[in-house]
Amino acid sequence: MRDTDKPRRQVYVCLGCAGKYLPPASMTYPSLGVDASPVHCGMPACKSEVTASLKFISVPEETVAKWARRAAGVEGPVRRGRPGRIARGRRASASPGTGRSKLL
């Protein structure tokens, strides 16, 4: 069996520490009796921080995990906005240090 024939396991990104981790395919740790999460690693600080954040935004964990993988470049290329593109009827944003202030 070649490497390309094997089913690919999902690599996840922790929203607390931005670390990448690979939980078991069953998403449970049998020796610990604990379920793995798609949005945080096993660190207690990450777990509490991410749990509070998910309550605040009220988006499913699977959706947030997909966004995190995309932002980290794990799942396809990182999406970025088009620089220099101006919305209709708006001015271009000033580059850092060139904005006008009351001091000048």
Side-chain angles (χ1 to χ4, degrees):
M1 186 179 212
R2 296 186 327 220
D3 289 338
T4 57
D5 296 338
K6 293 181 184 177
R8 297 192 67 164
R9 287 180 49 198
Q10 196 70 257
V11 175
Y12 293 96
V13 179
C14 177
L15 297 177
C17 64
K20 296 175 185 165
Y21 62 98
L22 183 65
S26 63
M27 291 298 283
T28 59
Y29 296 105
S31 60
L32 302 173
V34 178
D35 291 337
S37 172
V39 291
H40 62 77
C41 62
M43 300 288 290
C46 293
K47 182 178 181 178
S48 63
E49 183 179 329
V50 171
T51 303
S53 297
L54 288 175
K55 282 182 186 177
F56 181 72
I57 63 172
S58 67
V59 175
E61 285 187 357
E62 293 78 24
T63 304
V64 176
K66 182 179 175 183
W67 294 342
R69 285 193 304 271
R70 176 65 83 158
V74 174
E75 188 178 281
V78 178
R79 291 185 185 171
R80 302 209 192 282
R82 289 189 254 169
R85 181 97 176 161
I86 302 170
R88 174 174 264 158
R90 301 207 176 191
R91 294 186 345 180
S93 60
S95 59
T98 59
R100 293 168 49 174
S101 70
K102 291 182 179 180
L103 300 176
L104 295 177

